[in-house]
Amino acid sequence: LENIQNLKKELSETFPEHDTPVGVLHPYWARKPLNIIEVIISNLSQEGDVVLDPFMGSGTTVFGAIKNNRTAIGSDLNPLSYSLVDGILSFQERPFQKIEELKVFVNEFSNQVLEWFKWDDDFYIERERFNVQGDFRDGKFNMSTVEVVLKKKIDGKWRKRTTINNNFKREFDKNAEIYLNDPIDFDNINLLKNSRIAIPEGARLSHFYTLENRAAINLALRLIDSKNFDPDTKKVIKLLISSALTLLRLSDKKASSQWPYWRPKTELTSRNPAIVLENRLKKIIAAAKWVKCNTDSNYNDYAINNSKDSKSINVSLYNEPIQNLPDKIIPKSSVDLIVTDPPYSDQVPYLEYSALWLDILGLGSKEELFQYEIVETDAPGRESDSEEFLLRLKSGLIACGELIKNKGFLVIFYQDWDLNSWNMLYEVTNIANLELREIATIPKQRRSMKTVTSPGKTLDGDQILIFQKNYKADRNENNTKYNLKDKVSEVLIETGEDAELFDKYAAVVKDSMKNHWIKQLAVEYNDLSQLIK
Ligand SMILES: C[S@@+](CC[C@H](N)C(=O)[O-])C[C@H]1O[C@@H](n2cnc3c(N)ncnc32)[C@H](O)[C@@H]1O
């Protein structure tokens, strides 16, 4: 019990930090705070223990495990996640040589691409703003340039910004034409319609990039193959391009949106790819140094190393759906600790979101993975409703239970008002012999739009659920019918009037799961808001 209470206390004292050098490298969604993950790992496992994240996303758990000398295993069904984490970790070997090769690559790329953006003898177009006429749907829109921002390079830095506002027609550079459709024909890559993530009917990849930037991406892809880069260097060049793809598209003024397909209706901005890549290179160098500082040698792609006295760091990465992990990939009962953040219902359809990267970087096809993805989506041809989502999540969590050793821990980030999903978790604990030990809450780093617009409706932060396998032999389940209002107020009295809504919420679900009244609660109420406020 001691380590769990200690963990809860440390979590309440730790302010979540999302922006580490490895974290900010790529716009992968729902990135978790590394320091929180590290607190969990250090309290619930020992050096050398096997720590797994079967929904690794941008790799936060994997990096946290490596940093704390654990044996790390990461897996995700999304090929983008695998290539991202694999690319970053490849800096364990020959990091400085790789950085030098990246510099050569960026230099060569810039030399060619800058010519397409030349304004006069000194200045280059750094960004271009367009007015849009017509409708984005089906690509029935025209753009005209209304503003350019110019920069010139002084002592190796892009400086001296001037802005020219004018309506003018800019010609597409003849030298760029040969790159326009090869190897990637942007005009022939269709995206799945999904209104939730702002992909309209008939959207094609060409609707998201200017001609110049399409040509620039193709030039970069061709450069990778034309040089004799070794496979590991190719990985990190792809990582560089991957980290720049959203910044190269037509977007809002700041190009800061985490939504890769969203775009303003009437005004669009496009940025100079050479300058974008030069900037991303700096981020990559920072990430490479982070990897170098936090890892040992012996990065091993495949084997699980269970030996506790080994000093070297072991990492294994897989691109597999969780449904395939137990026994096929990872032996059952072999993992000491799982720390993971499963997908939330319809928040992010990861495979649809990743289409841009998968298609441009040739990372793999998503269609055959659709059947496994734990997601709620109404995209045509792949409907998965909230019930299907819960079923898939349930089987994923049962798989987690199978992988954990006797008395090992499963820690998940979770939040949902819907009591059905809490009841599903309760059912999982029964099937997988997991016992809910504690629910800790941590605040969000930034206030989301939702919290501001509907306070009291949004759970502002994360709940961290700590389960232990085979903690108790018997579970004293009973069929008592409770007076739920009394039950809830009992818990709330104990929690205290002044507690945050979020903590009250966590206390109620914890008590109802531990004391077996969650099922009755889920049958009689949809969500907790009616009972808590
Ligand atoms: C909320 S994200 C994890 C983010 C991660 N915690 C981080 O810090 O970046 C959930 C991940 O689950 C993955 N996923 C969805 N269905 C899956 C499945 N059936 N098997 C494995 N991974 C899946 C998604 O691709 C996504 O990367």
Side-chain angles (χ1 to χ4, degrees), residues 55-86:
F55 304 107
M56 76 174 155
S58 60
T60 317
T61 298
V62 170
F63 299 130
I66 291 175
K67 204 176 153 193
N68 291 279
N69 304 321
R70 305 312 195 251
T71 300
I73 311 177
S75 180
D76 199 292
L77 115 151
N78 188 351
L80 174 61
S81 155
Y82 179 91
S83 82
L84 172 60
V85 181
D86 186 44

Side-chain angles (χ1 to χ4, degrees), residues 404-417:
I404 294 174
K405 280 183 190 164
N406 193 23
K407 302 278 189 283
F409 290 99
L410 165 64
V411 178
I412 61 173
F413 289 76
Y414 200 74
Q415 50 156 299
D416 210 320
W417 276 113

Side-chain angles (χ1 to χ4, degrees), residues 183-392:
I184 301 298
D185 186 356
F186 287 73
D187 228 3
N188 272 322
I189 298 181
N190 300 307
L191 296 166
L192 264 192
K193 176 193 161 198
N194 187 335
S195 54
R196 235 206 102 85
I197 58 171
I199 304 184
E201 177 109 45
R204 271 174 275 151
L205 220 46
S206 53
H207 301 161
F208 295 89
Y209 293 94
T210 60
L211 296 177
E212 284 84 1
N213 286 12
R214 280 149 67 180
I217 292 167
N218 276 331
L219 166 69
L221 295 174
R222 285 205 220 171
L223 275 178
I224 298 183
D225 286 328
S226 69
K227 304 268 163 215
N228 271 336
F229 294 120
D230 66 66
D232 250 21
T233 305
K234 285 187 181 175
K235 261 187 209 170
V236 296
I237 299 177
K238 278 200 172 181
L239 179 65
L240 175 76
I241 301 173
S242 179
S243 80
L245 284 182
T246 42
L247 295 170
L248 297 180
R249 88 206 144 93
L250 288 158
S251 65
D252 49 87
K253 271 191 178 175
K254 292 192 177 142
S256 58
S257 171
Q258 285 269 63
W259 292 59
Y261 307 99
W262 177 82
R263 36 178 276 172
K265 283 204 170 67
T266 52
E267 264 184 43
L268 290 173
T269 301
S270 185
R271 305 164 138 205
N272 181 318
I275 300 179
V276 167
L277 246 56
E278 286 174 25
N279 285 329
R280 296 316 292 174
L281 179 60
K282 290 183 198 144
K283 304 264 182 209
I284 296 241
I285 293 173
K289 287 189 177 143
W290 190 97
V291 171
K292 179 77 190 147
C293 293
N294 288 296
T295 61
D296 218 320
S297 53
N298 287 348
Y299 160 49
N300 174 359
D301 249 288
Y302 300 103
I304 302 176
N305 186 340
N306 272 320
S307 99
K308 299 231 170 184
D309 36 53
S310 142
K311 279 209 191 76
S312 58
I313 296 291
N314 282 298
V315 187
S316 315
L317 300 179
Y318 304 99
N319 180 199
E320 291 285 346
I322 186 160
Q323 292 89 333
N324 288 355
L325 291 184
D327 267 357
K328 285 194 203 135
I329 312 284
I330 300 171
K332 285 184 182 168
S333 304
S334 69
V335 174
D336 294 281
L337 168 65
I338 293 181
V339 184
T340 196
D341 169 32
Y344 307 122
S345 59
D346 62 350
Q347 302 269 313
V348 188
Y350 283 89
L351 289 172
E352 286 164 49
Y353 247 13
S354 306
L356 189 146
W357 288 267
L358 302 183
D359 288 330
I360 294 180
L361 298 170
L363 300 178
S365 107
K366 55 193 181 308
E367 282 70 19
E368 61 216 43
L369 297 169
F370 281 162
Q371 56 171 316
Y372 297 106
E373 188 180 13
I374 299 173
V375 71
E376 191 181 324
T377 175
D378 58 3
R382 61 162 317 205
E383 288 80 6
S384 172
D385 59 13
S386 55
E387 224 171 287
E388 178 67 20
F389 164 77
L390 275 190
L391 276 177
R392 291 186 193 185

